[in-house]
């Protein structure tokens, strides 16, 4: 019967759910996820399914969505989408332009860990404001639970939040440093392109800050990212280079600091994470780290994942736009 089902394909949703519960898809990576999407598609696309408009909204500003919560008006308004009809969770008063939120991440409590504060066990929203404040807000009320000032003397424009390890290690990235036109005309060189601040979350703790410098990584760097312990550096000619980010933190860490710690370091005196001192740049990369891997791809399009590891690129020629090559990370075999 099982081979016959495979041959003809199972089309009954109840049968598919039963097979999933019995672990029929557990032996192959990705199969369960594909089957779940297939179930969803089958339910939504069957002829007997009827849809009705339960809610409509409009917004002049971007609408964000995180795990069943819809955020509007620059995260001032939060609406749940889980109920039969979306309902308001909280509405904050309109904020000043200086408090505008640039980016946000939803933070959820890790399972099986003891946390220092009762508020840590509830979902919260980590937000980055235009004035370089990192705030942790209650996902249920919008109340400020923690606040950290980021920008010290080294950097004034933090703009992006991302996960290195989801729900564990967070990266705060600056906008690309650009000299004013007058400084460029005067022949002043800008060598530091980006700053990256690294945090452990729940409890929120500062790991370190580092700079991405032309002298170390080259003049043609256009962007950087961190994911799963890998520093990804992108270049204008379509080159993508990968470095071991954890090894960089360990090798080039000059001194460790805790949030709230008073410090007197490199001529600076202040409190870590407090205004006006912000965070010290305590990770100084003095030499090019060992290269793990590099690939050339159109518009720096690069993704890595799977088991065993594979990567996806687009050949670095305009005529290949829309073409994707899936290659083995082990030996680059197509």
């Amino acid at each position: 019967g099982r081979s016959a089902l495979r041959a003809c394909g199972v089309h009954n949703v109840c049968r598919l759910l039963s097979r999933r519960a019995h672990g029929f898809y557990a032996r192959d990576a990705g199969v369960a996820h594909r089957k779940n999407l297939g179930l969803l598609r089958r339910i939504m696309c069957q002829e007997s399914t009827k849809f009705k408009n339960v809610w409509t909204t409009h917004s002049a500003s971007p609408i964000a969505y995180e795990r069943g919560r819809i955020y509007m008006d620059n995260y001032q308004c939060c609406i749940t989408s889980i109920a039969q009809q979306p309902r308001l969770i909280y509405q904050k008063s309109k904020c000043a332009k200086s408090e505008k939120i640039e980016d946000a991440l939803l933070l959820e409590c890790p399972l099986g860990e003891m946390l220092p504060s009762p508020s840590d066990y509830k979902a919260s929203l980590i937000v980055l404001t235009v004035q370089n404040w990192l705030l942790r807000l209650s996902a249920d009320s919008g109340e400020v639970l923690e606040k950290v000032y980021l920008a010290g003397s080294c950097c004034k424009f933090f703009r992006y939040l991302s996960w290195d390890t989801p729900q564990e290690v967070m990266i705060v990235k600056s906008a690309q440093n650009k000299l004013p036109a007058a400084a460029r005309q005067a022949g002043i060189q800008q060598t530091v392109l980006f700053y990256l601040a690294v945090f452990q979350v729940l409890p929120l703790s500062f790991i370190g800050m580092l700079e991405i410098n032309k002298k170390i990584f080259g003049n043609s760097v256009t962007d950087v990212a961190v994911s799963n312990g890998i520093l990804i550096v992108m270049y204008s000619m379509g080159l993508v280079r990968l470095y071991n980010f954890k090894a960089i933190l360990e090798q080039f860490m000059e001194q460790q600091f805790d949030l709230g710690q008073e410090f007197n370091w490199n001529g600076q005196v202040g409190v870590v994470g407090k205004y006006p001192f912000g965070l010290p740049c305590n990770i100084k990369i003095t030499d090019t780290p060992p290269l793990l891997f590099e690939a050339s791809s159109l518009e720096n399009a690069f993704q890595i994942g799977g088991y065993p590891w594979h990567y996806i690129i687009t050949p670095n020629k305009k005529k290949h736009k829309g073409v994707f090559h899936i290659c083995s990370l082990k030996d680059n075999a197509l």
Side-chain angles (χ1 to χ4, degrees):
R2 191 179 299 174
S3 59
L5 282 171
R6 271 201 298 266
C8 66
V10 179
H11 299 289
N12 183 283
V13 168
C14 295
R15 182 78 64 84
L16 286 167
L17 287 170
S18 174
R19 287 167 63 79
R20 184 181 68 176
H22 284 91
F24 278 80
Y25 316 128
R27 292 190 297 272
D28 190 5
V31 171
H33 182 60
R34 288 199 298 273
K35 291 293 181 182
N36 288 342
L37 291 176
L39 281 166
L40 180 63
R41 181 183 61 195
R42 198 156 288 156
I43 291 170
M44 293 183 66
C45 295
Q46 60 187 349
E47 292 182 4
S48 60
T49 301
K50 297 186 183 300
F51 296 91
K52 63 178 180 180
N53 183 7
V54 296
W55 186 69
T56 300
T57 189
H58 302 276
S59 174
S61 59
I63 299 175
Y65 174 84
E66 289 280 358
R67 302 281 183 95
R69 291 180 171 90
I70 301 169
Y71 293 96
M72 303 176 66
D73 301 327
N74 192 235
Y75 293 91
Q76 300 303 298
C77 175
C78 180
I79 297 166
T80 178
S81 64
I82 295 175
Q84 283 189 338
Q85 186 165 350
R87 59 179 176 79
L88 184 69
I89 298 179
Y90 65 80
Q91 173 74 62
K92 299 175 71 175
S93 56
K94 190 173 182 180
C95 67
K97 284 186 178 180
S98 61
E99 298 172 353
K100 180 178 179 289
I101 293 172
E102 292 286 343
D103 206 355
L105 289 175
L106 186 70
L107 184 58
E108 294 182 318
C109 167
L111 297 174
E113 291 188 24
M114 295 295 291
L115 299 173
S117 170
S119 67
D120 293 344
Y121 290 94
K122 295 184 178 181
S124 53
L125 196 69
I126 295 277
V127 303
L128 177 61
T129 74
V130 72
Q131 294 285 9
N132 297 304
W133 284 94
L134 188 70
L135 309 178
R136 186 164 74 92
L137 311 178
S138 166
D140 297 324
S141 65
E143 174 192 1
V144 177
L145 303 174
E146 289 183 85
K147 57 190 305 184
V148 175
Y149 187 64
L150 301 172
S153 59
C154 61
C155 179
K156 299 298 181 185
F157 305 105
F158 284 98
R159 291 293 178 264
Y160 310 102
L161 295 176
S162 63
W163 291 115
D164 174 10
T165 304
Q167 303 297 328
E168 292 183 19
V169 179
M170 177 180 66
I171 305 295
V172 189
K173 188 178 81 170
S174 73
Q176 184 171 345
N177 277 350
K178 293 182 179 179
L179 284 174
R184 292 196 300 270
Q185 289 172 1
I188 298 173
Q189 296 292 317
Q190 174 65 272
T191 61
V192 178
L193 296 170
F194 298 94
Y195 287 92
L196 303 176
V198 190
F199 288 87
Q200 188 86 30
V201 297
L202 286 180
L204 189 65
S205 57
F206 175 58
I207 295 175
M209 187 191 292
L210 65 150
E211 59 187 32
I212 302 299
N213 197 308
K214 285 182 181 181
K215 293 180 179 178
I216 301 297
F217 294 99
N219 290 324
S220 57
V221 174
T222 57
D223 203 359
V224 293
V226 178
S227 177
N228 294 295
I230 300 294
L231 174 66
I232 304 167
V233 183
M234 288 157 269
Y235 295 82
S236 58
M237 70 287 279
L239 191 66
V240 179
R241 286 180 173 160
L242 274 58
Y243 301 90
N244 187 327
F245 189 62
K246 291 182 179 178
I248 289 172
L249 298 185
E250 293 171 1
Q251 180 180 352
F252 298 106
M253 175 78 72
E254 293 189 344
Q255 184 176 337
Q256 291 187 322
F257 293 95
D258 296 324
L259 292 175
Q261 175 185 345
E262 293 186 4
F263 71 93
N264 186 339
W265 185 67
N266 284 357
Q268 286 185 306
V269 179
V271 179
V272 179
K274 300 293 184 183
Y275 184 85
F277 303 102
L279 303 175
C281 190
N282 58 334
I283 301 168
K284 295 287 186 181
I285 304 177
T286 55
D287 195 11
T288 306
L291 180 66
L292 294 180
F293 174 82
E294 73 175 21
S296 181
S297 183
L298 186 66
E299 299 174 352
N300 299 115
F302 177 86
Q303 292 192 37
I304 185 169
Y307 179 81
W309 290 95
H310 284 70
Y311 62 93
I312 302 176
I313 61 168
T314 293
N316 198 11
K317 294 182 179 178
K318 288 185 178 180
K319 68 178 182 180
H320 287 136
K321 190 168 185 177
V323 175
F324 299 94
H325 285 187
I326 303 172
C327 305
S328 168
L329 189 64
K330 182 179 179 181
D331 57 10
N332 297 321
L334 182 63

